[in-house]
Amino acid sequence: MGHLSSQFGVQQGDPLRPMLIALVLQKLISTIDVDDECKRSAVLHALNLIEELGPHIGLVINFSKCEVFSSQGNPLFPPAVKSSLSPNLEMLGVPIGDYLHCSHFIAENCSKAIVLFTALVEVAEADLHVAVSLLHICGSYSKLVHLARTTPSSLSFESLKFFDEEVRRCFSTCIAADIPDDHWKQAQLSLSFGGLGFRSLSYHSCAAFILSLSTSGFGSASNRNLLSAISKFNALVSPNKKLHHQLGNPKSPYWEH
């Protein structure tokens, strides 16, 4: 076989890649003034500037990957830019919209993730170690933790609890043995605590959402999704691990002592 020699640009995954892109983008960003309201006219103005100045520094907009979400459609943007009138959308694998849309999206993603378990059971017949390793590393907690971090616990908890049960069922089938509740609770601990690392998504979903929302700067004490997550979290943990409802500084630790 021949060899492919990479002689142009940076390697895929090279940390230098995003740094170089950021340096180039900074030149463009300094010329764009989009107000906090992000009005359609301001976005269009920014788009026109990027289209005009970008090619001179090696940036060309791929309109086929652009989309406008607006209740007024897409009358001003280039025809190649897709438009959506729906208030419900998906962005970066996260649902944005009403309760029904978000709940359905999460449930659907849980169901898709569970399809993998059938294949893992078949793998276990040939190599149990490989099957359990795959389930632990990429088939359980890590599979849906992004949804736990980005969607309110009131929307995700039940679906993630169902997913947890299916992880347990898959592991039990792989090892051909029933797992008592206390044994499974031990298995959900990290390896350093004598567990198997099958962390519970539903149990950690509240903490994941609280941390994500709070560190993003939107952890206001009046945020009802945050308050709901804190209440559910406090119901799951021991008294010495409960969280404050009045959070104060969103970037400070919230543990009660």
Side-chain angles (χ1 to χ4, degrees), residues 46 72 101 119 127 166 173 181 253-254:
Q72 301 177 23
H101 166 73
D127 194 318
E166 291 301 310
T173 304
D181 291 344
Y254 310 132

Side-chain angles (χ1 to χ4, degrees), residues 117 120 130-140 167 170-171 198:
F117 297 163
L120 289 179
V130 169
V132 173
S133 295
L134 287 174
L135 179 63
H136 170 230
I137 296 171
C138 58
S140 52
V167 171
C170 176
F171 179 70
F198 288 113

Side-chain angles (χ1 to χ4, degrees), residues 157-193:
F157 187 84
E158 292 303 323
S159 292
L160 295 180
K161 185 177 180 181
F162 171 73
F163 180 80
D164 285 338
E165 293 169 352
E166 291 301 310
V167 171
R168 177 179 179 176
R169 191 193 311 276
C170 176
F171 179 70
S172 179
T173 304
C174 286
I175 65 174
D178 291 330
I179 307 174
D181 291 344
D182 56 336
H183 290 191
W184 183 245
K185 187 174 182 180
Q186 177 73 27
Q188 290 179 317
L189 298 178
S190 64
L191 299 177
S192 60
F193 283 92

Side-chain angles (χ1 to χ4, degrees), residues 142-160:
S142 62
K143 194 74 173 176
L144 296 174
V145 68
H146 66 287
L147 285 177
R149 288 182 56 85
T150 55
T151 56
S153 309
S154 57
L155 296 175
S156 64
F157 187 84
E158 292 303 323
S159 292
L160 295 180

Side-chain angles (χ1 to χ4, degrees), residues 3 13 27 40-41 43 50 54 85 94 96 107 111 120 130-131 133 138 160 165 184 189 203 205 208 234 248 252:
H3 293 83
K27 183 176 179 61
R40 183 171 54 173
S41 60
V43 175
I50 294 173
L85 298 175
V94 177
I96 301 174
S111 297
L120 289 179
V130 169
S133 295
C138 58
L160 295 180
E165 293 169 352
W184 183 245
L189 298 178
Y203 180 80
S205 63
N234 288 342
S252 65

Side-chain angles (χ1 to χ4, degrees), residues 25-182:
L25 285 177
Q26 185 60 39
K27 183 176 179 61
L28 276 178
I29 292 172
S30 63
T31 66
I32 298 173
D33 182 21
V34 178
D35 58 25
D36 292 337
E37 295 181 5
C38 200
K39 296 178 180 178
R40 183 171 54 173
S41 60
V43 175
L44 183 61
H45 174 65
L47 180 64
N48 290 335
L49 279 176
I50 294 173
E51 190 175 13
E52 176 187 350
L53 303 176
H56 298 293
I57 53 177
L59 294 178
V60 179
I61 299 177
N62 185 351
F63 286 113
S64 66
K65 293 186 177 181
C66 298
E67 189 168 0
V68 175
F69 298 93
S70 171
S71 60
Q72 301 177 23
N74 179 24
L76 300 177
F77 290 85
V81 176
K82 295 182 292 184
S83 63
S84 175
L85 298 175
S86 173
N88 298 317
L89 57 114
E90 172 197 342
M91 188 172 293
L92 300 177
V94 177
I96 301 174
D98 59 32
Y99 180 89
L100 184 62
H101 166 73
C102 294
S103 298
H104 176 74
F105 181 91
I106 297 169
E108 186 177 41
N109 273 259
C110 287
S111 297
K112 289 180 180 178
I114 289 170
V115 173
L116 172 67
F117 297 163
T118 302
L120 289 179
V121 171
E122 295 177 359
V123 171
E125 295 177 359
D127 194 318
L128 178 60
H129 177 74
V130 169
V132 173
S133 295
L134 287 174
L135 179 63
H136 170 230
I137 296 171
C138 58
S140 52
Y141 183 86
S142 62
K143 194 74 173 176
L144 296 174
V145 68
H146 66 287
L147 285 177
R149 288 182 56 85
T150 55
T151 56
S153 309
S154 57
L155 296 175
S156 64
F157 187 84
E158 292 303 323
S159 292
L160 295 180
K161 185 177 180 181
F162 171 73
F163 180 80
D164 285 338
E165 293 169 352
E166 291 301 310
V167 171
R168 177 179 179 176
R169 191 193 311 276
C170 176
F171 179 70
S172 179
T173 304
C174 286
I175 65 174
D178 291 330
I179 307 174
D181 291 344
D182 56 336

